[in-house]
Amino acid sequence: MIARPQSTNFRSLTHNALERWGRRTLFLIGGLLVGAAAILMAALADYAQRDFHHVLAVSRYLSLALTPLGFGVIVFLTLHVFPNSQGSGIPQVIAAREMPDGPTRTALVSLRVAAGKIIAVTLGLLCGASIGREGPTVQVGAALMYAIGRRALDYQRGLLLAGAAAGIAAAFNTPLAGIVFGIEELSRSFESRTSGLVLGAIIAAGLTSLGLVGDYAYFGSTNAVLPLGRAWLVLPLCAVLGGFFGGLFSRIVIGFARGLPGKAGQIIAKHPIAFAMLCGLGVALSGLVSQDSIYGTGYDQARAIVHGAVPSCAIFGPMKFFATLFSSIGGIPGGLFAPSLAVGAGLAANLHAAFQDVPLGALALLGMVSYLTGVVQTPITSFVIVSEMTENHAMIIPLMLAALIADAVSKWVCHDSIYHALAHVFLDKAAKPTPSPE
């Protein structure tokens, strides 16, 4: 038996070490870029919402023209300029991870799609859409990671997962939620060979956020607690309510995405821009009914409720539900996380009228977790993200229980997870054979 020369072994070890460090560097650089992109999108979202409210200050009825027109322009862009940029962006990442490397995968997570996502989400908030920026950050993050690791064929799935998880972590300043979301929703399992690299990307994205905007809790710190005793009676009620309406929301959105049966579905498919404008009108009317409180992400309203302020509009929760539903089925790019948290807080505020001995802040946290779980059916991510966003550890057990109940109710209402159901729409579209020219 001939021993391998020592120099050959040294070269092999050196090559392997360089390859490992190259991969780690790739993920870390990607994480830094994702963190910067998340901050950019947050700044653009703030400016867009502020400018829209400046328009409303001139006349609140301007929304009846601006919002439908904006929806029509945005859907035109998603159809003809930035295809595959519609919706939250998370289904595109899930679908891309299931596809083999090639044009179909690239079409879902290209830099062009990422740029279109940023532009369209900003335009959506500029015209009053009830959308979030956090879901789109997932697609942008995955696109950035995919672009820098385009030739790393063995790690593309891991890169997509890392970019998406880093996007959630940087957008909310919730690194633990980023990890949990990557496991629970994006991959439904954790790949051991890339777990450390994913963690590195999340850390890099988090450090970028810390360096540029400092340490902060998304909704601010809260010491809300749910006292033992009668106050716990509201927990199952809140969880059932959030799970039911969250599941109903998902079922409607999935139904429209797959295509409604009959003539209604044919009309919508044939006239998507007109339908988007009609949905925009629905958002504007919701805004007028709700005293202009339902536009945008809902961050300010949810934060106020978490800190004990009763909404100025008594029906803020239901109207935010309808505004977010119109925005989602209209086909414009936008996320569900922030609006869902606002809907949940609003529904909890409605319950507070019957349970005034329960602290509104604690009830709001239960409502946020319950409704978010109902929409996305990721109970662990939901309670982790809310507890991290409020730096509240005293509510962990009630939030866990609320998420568990809401998840069961949501699955009874809607059997499919919204992001995976929408991902299959993209997968089915990619699987259809291209008609050959005659």
Side-chain angles (χ1 to χ4, degrees):
M1 184 175 181
I2 301 175
R4 294 178 65 188
Q6 196 169 15
S7 60
T8 302
N9 290 335
F10 176 77
R11 283 196 299 270
S12 178
L13 290 172
T14 302
H15 174 76
N16 291 337
L18 289 173
E19 186 179 0
R20 283 196 302 272
W21 280 106
R23 289 196 301 268
R24 291 171 182 172
T25 302
L26 195 69
F27 276 70
L28 290 174
I29 292 173
L32 293 172
L33 292 174
V34 174
I39 294 167
L40 171 65
M41 294 178 72
L44 291 173
D46 290 341
Y47 283 123
Q49 292 179 97
R50 181 199 64 189
D51 290 345
F52 178 72
H53 283 286
H54 286 168
V55 173
L56 294 184
V58 176
S59 173
R60 58 195 303 257
Y61 295 101
L62 286 174
S63 63
L64 293 173
L66 178 59
T67 306
L69 180 62
F71 272 49
V73 170
I74 294 167
V75 169
F76 174 84
L77 291 175
T78 62
L79 291 174
H80 302 290
V81 183
F82 304 113
N84 296 316
S85 64
Q86 68 269 32
S88 79
I90 294 174
Q92 288 93 316
V93 177
I94 295 173
R97 280 176 48 81
E98 296 297 321
M99 292 176 177
D101 181 54
T104 53
R105 171 185 277 178
T106 303
L108 296 178
V109 286
S110 68
L111 290 179
R112 178 173 179 166
V113 170
K117 199 77 170 186
I118 296 172
I119 293 170
V121 169
T122 304
L123 289 176
L125 293 171
L126 190 60
C127 69
S130 179
I131 54 176
R133 58 174 171 80
E134 295 79 14
T137 308
V138 168
Q139 189 176 11
V140 172
L144 289 171
M145 290 292 257
Y146 181 72
I148 66 171
R150 187 66 186 85
R151 296 185 179 182
L153 299 181
D154 293 339
Y155 288 89
Q156 283 185 358
R157 283 169 54 85
L159 284 164
L160 291 170
L161 174 61
I168 284 288
F172 282 119
N173 191 35
T174 52
L176 290 179
I179 295 170
V180 173
F181 183 72
I183 298 171
E184 188 177 29
E185 180 59 55
L186 294 174
S187 67
R188 297 291 172 97
S189 64
F190 214 42
E191 301 165 7
S192 59
R193 67 173 183 166
T194 58
S195 59
L197 301 175
V198 171
L199 182 58
I202 292 173
I203 291 171
L207 288 175
T208 304
S209 178
L210 286 173
L212 294 178
V213 299
D215 191 16
Y216 67 96
Y218 189 84
F219 284 122
S221 299
T222 172
N223 297 318
V225 295
L226 193 67
L228 287 174
R230 183 178 179 275
W232 276 68
L233 295 176
V234 76
L235 190 156
L237 178 60
C238 189
V240 170
L241 186 69
F244 176 81
F245 281 104
L248 179 64
F249 175 91
S250 293
R251 184 162 185 167
I252 294 172
V253 171
I254 292 170
F256 273 89
R258 288 174 174 169
L260 296 182
K263 192 171 183 179
Q266 294 173 5
I267 293 173
I268 292 172
K270 190 174 180 179
H271 304 285
I273 295 176
F275 178 70
M277 295 181 71
L278 187 62
C279 290
L281 181 60
V283 173
L285 292 173
S286 300
L288 292 177
V289 172
S290 68
Q291 303 170 22
D292 301 331
S293 63
I294 54 81
Y295 299 116
T297 63
Y299 166 80
D300 290 333
Q301 291 81 0
R303 180 187 173 96
I305 297 171
V306 165
H307 289 279
V310 177
S312 57
C313 174
I315 55 172
F316 166 74
M319 297 316 298
K320 185 67 175 175
F321 172 91
F322 285 115
T324 308
L325 183 62
F326 285 132
S327 298
S328 297
I329 65 175
I332 69 169
L336 300 176
F337 273 80
S340 294
L341 294 172
V343 172
L347 294 176
N350 292 131
L351 278 179
H352 186 252
F355 294 87
Q356 294 188 8
D357 56 332
V358 180
L360 178 56
L363 194 53
L365 297 185
L366 292 174
M368 291 159 69
V369 167
S370 300
Y371 184 77
L372 181 61
T373 300
V375 172
V376 299
Q377 295 184 358
T378 52
I380 302 175
T381 298
S382 297
F383 78 74
V384 168
I385 205 168
V386 170
S387 61
E388 260 196 297
M389 286 191 302
T390 57
E391 295 182 339
N392 188 309
H393 303 291
M395 287 285 292
I396 286 289
I397 299 301
L399 294 183
M400 285 182 179
L401 184 56
L404 186 65
I405 297 171
D407 186 53
V409 174
S410 175
K411 287 176 178 173
W412 175 73
V413 177
C414 180
H415 300 297
D416 301 313
S417 164
I418 185 169
Y419 291 137
H420 284 264
L422 297 180
H424 277 286
V425 173
F426 288 101
L427 290 169
D428 293 342
K429 182 180 177 182
K432 288 182 180 177
T434 304
S436 57
E438 295 181 1

